[in-house]
Amino acid sequence: MNVRKTLKINKAGHLEIGGADAVALAQQFGTPVYVMDETYIRDMCSVYRETILKEYNGYGMVLYASKAFSCTAIYKIVASENIGIDVVSGGEIYTAMKAGFPAEKVCMHGNNKTLAELQLAVRYGVGEIVVDSETEIDLLEQLCEEQDKNQNILLRINPGVEAHTHHFIQTAKTDSKFGFSIADGSAEKITKYALTKKHLHLEGYHCHIGSQIFEKQSFALATEKMISFMARMRDEFSFEATVLNMGGGYGIWYTDDDKKSSCADYAEYLHAICDTIKSKTSEYGLRLPFLLIEPGRSIVGEAGVTLYTVGATKEIPGIKKYVSVDGGMFDNPRYALYQAKYTAILANRALEKPCEVVSVAGKCCESGDIVCANVALPVAKRGDILAVLSTGAYNYSMASNYNRNLVPPVILVKDGKADYIVKPQTYDDLIRNDVIPDRLV
Ligand SMILES: *Cc1c(COP(=O)(O)O)cnc(C)c1O
């Protein structure tokens, strides 16, 4: 197990999260339940904030990529940490607005924002909209004209660096629905076009090269490509970008195959980016751009643990053993989507040594409904509390009501105190929007 100051095993041999006993939490709140550790989230916000201060004179801002985990309370936490957010839908904007999040610290993304979403963003007054198509520029210009408003924009650029976990590649033509490619000339063309728009103020560029990336060289390479593109745009169009958004994607610990987490490692990614910006801008004679970064997973991922209760187990001799829990792909679809790996432990017997390798299965009617495969556990019995670690990102935000299962509640723990930040759903919530047309009555 990794060392993380907010996760430990207490004297009772139980897993403890943010000072709260996981077994007691399971009793009090029921299972399945997502548990989020507030201290971890705040620590990560401050690591990034402080690193920008130290490495870049504070000339930048952290934007929490809220698609990783979105609810009103997280926007409150992030706002109080004095960092911004990135949002990718009307629903995320609405939630942030309801949390009273300062609009000027909001950056809006999406490869196909709807007119309604753009209207909401402009009305709210978001700091920046990251534009990802020519038609979006036209739509936005028209909308701003109608509302007599001006809007700051960034252009989403594909720098031709694609990174996944431990590998990154340089490609001339990346197959992605996101961004204007530097290599094929579309990034240059769209810059020229955006500069002609009266109500749109082009501030600069954005790129995001992937997620769960450990190689800091991939960030350095992407930064290099962005700065050299900025220099070219200055030379061609006398346009000098004042903002550079380098996206997120910093890798976190899920299993011991991943680099062990420590706050210092996260500062290193940013160090690589800042160093490259400084050296390359000085080489090209460019002003230092205001730096934005958008970590999502690394702010909330390791802060989260999902607690389940073990039910049936099934051994298929010579093949594998399934340990079934009371959750599944409806609270965590990541294994079903892309065979995501996790570490699991028995929270009520956390000191016992693992003695077998099992697959943790969910309760959905779908054979691909696996929470995590190949996890080492002591022999699990009905009633044990199983904790899956590092579930703070892309779990609750990807949850569904498949099989009319209820999306689990989310508990926020701090110094041993636990509160709901998302209440349990009820069966009535499931039928709230159901309608029976007259002819069926
Ligand atoms: C998903 C995403 C992020 C956050 O990525 P993480 O891997 O969660 O850090 C940041 N920016 C953009 C544009 C994204 O799509």
Side-chain angles (χ1 to χ4, degrees), residues 17 20-22 24-26 28-38 41 69 71 73 77 303-307 392 396 408-414 416-424:
I17 310 150
D21 184 302
L25 289 176
Q28 186 184 349
F29 295 100
T31 59
V33 61
Y34 302 105
V35 183
M36 299 289 286
D37 180 350
E38 184 175 340
I41 296 170
F69 174 75
C71 67
I77 293 175
V305 169
T306 309
L307 302 177
Y396 172 71
V410 186
I411 306 298
L412 186 71
V413 291
K414 183 165 198 279
K417 197 175 168 322
D419 302 283
Y420 280 124
I421 53 172
V422 180
K423 285 190 302 188

Side-chain angles (χ1 to χ4, degrees), residues 65 67 86 109 156 206 208 211 248-250 294-297 394:
K67 71 173 193 269
D86 102 30
H109 283 280
R156 176 148 187 171
H206 166 274
H208 173 72
S211 201
Y250 317 125
E294 304 174 318
R297 185 192 308 274
Y394 306 110

Side-chain angles (χ1 to χ4, degrees), residues 204-241:
Y205 300 104
H206 166 274
C207 74
H208 173 72
I209 58 171
S211 201
Q212 186 61 4
I213 303 167
F214 290 102
E215 293 281 342
K216 60 182 185 201
Q217 296 95 311
S218 57
F219 294 106
L221 180 62
T223 308
E224 213 177 295
K225 301 224 170 215
M226 294 298 281
I227 302 284
S228 107
F229 176 70
M230 280 162 53
R232 200 147 62 74
M233 294 306 97
R234 181 216 32 210
D235 298 344
E236 279 181 37
F237 307 123
S238 304
F239 166 67
E240 194 164 345

Side-chain angles (χ1 to χ4, degrees), residues 37 54-55 108 147 210 274 326 361 374 389 409:
D37 180 350
K54 204 171 105 221
E55 308 262 346
M108 169 78 175
Q147 301 196 9
C274 293
D326 52 357
N374 301 318
L389 309 184

